[in-house]
Amino acid sequence: MKAARSILSVISLYVAGAGIVLMMLLILAELVATKLFYVSLPYALEYSEYLVPLIAFWGASYTLHEGGHVRADILLHRMPDALQPWIMLAGYILGLVFLSVAFVQMWDVSVRSIAMNRMSFYPQPSPLGPPQLIVTIGLGLFIVQLFLEIVWMAIGMPGRKSGVAGR
């Protein structure tokens, strides 16, 4: 299970990192094109906007694996030490339920967009389905990583990087 967690984490890291590089290149190309050649690249803004949720959802899996998510522990640190991991586990389970509902809805939207060949409303319309599907897959990867983290927490595996903040 540790290998699965690590592999998912690395995949999400590379996809999110590629998204950041691609966004940077799109914005740079748009700047150069408009400032030097007085031409705009029709897809630069649109695909830069699509890359934001891609980076967020794909990067979330890696961040969870590395224990980098911000935890609101205003009340948690006031709870008894023995109770804190159980509260964290309950929060992760609630998060898993919420994200699973969001995933089902996003999957439905993506599949319908592909089936109906929905296009964007930009001056140069492009298909909406493929970027929606890639973002949905990223959310699915985050859900798998969260599920593995819940199992990891529940069985009390040593060597976890995440858990109660500051511990």
Side-chain angles (χ1 to χ4, degrees):
M1 180 166 53
K2 187 174 184 178
R5 288 176 69 229
S6 295
I7 290 169
L8 290 174
S9 168
V10 169
I11 291 169
S12 65
L13 171 66
Y14 283 118
V15 172
I20 291 170
V21 169
L22 184 57
M23 180 187 285
M24 180 194 67
L25 292 174
L26 282 170
I27 293 170
L28 181 64
E30 175 68 12
L31 286 171
V32 168
T34 55
K35 297 300 179 187
L36 296 180
F37 304 107
Y38 305 104
V39 166
S40 181
L41 302 176
Y43 293 106
L45 175 64
E46 180 180 0
Y47 280 94
S48 292
E49 290 172 352
Y50 293 153
L51 287 169
V52 171
L54 178 138
I55 293 164
F57 286 137
W58 283 82
S61 178
Y62 174 77
T63 307
L64 178 66
H65 180 263
E66 295 298 314
H69 280 280
V70 176
R71 292 176 174 83
D73 63 352
I74 295 170
L75 297 176
L76 187 65
H77 72 279
R78 296 172 193 245
M79 299 292 173
D81 287 344
L83 189 59
Q84 290 179 10
W86 292 102
I87 294 171
M88 290 293 296
L89 183 61
Y92 275 30
I93 291 170
L94 286 174
L96 181 68
V97 170
F98 173 78
L99 292 175
S100 296
V101 170
F103 176 82
V104 169
Q105 296 302 313
M106 287 174 65
W107 181 264
D108 185 50
V109 168
S110 301
V111 169
R112 285 181 190 210
S113 291
I114 291 170
M116 297 173 75
N117 197 27
R118 290 187 179 149
M119 304 297 267
S120 66
F121 292 108
Y122 282 91
Q124 294 288 328
S126 64
L128 288 173
Q132 289 173 339
L133 188 60
I134 291 170
V135 168
T136 303
I137 291 168
L139 178 59
L141 183 65
F142 180 43
I143 289 169
V144 170
Q145 189 74 40
L146 184 58
F147 176 76
L148 292 173
E149 185 69 17
I150 289 169
V151 171
W152 200 257
M153 289 174 74
I155 61 178
M157 291 288 213
R160 288 179 32 253
K161 292 182 181 179
S162 61
V164 179
R167 297 200 175 240

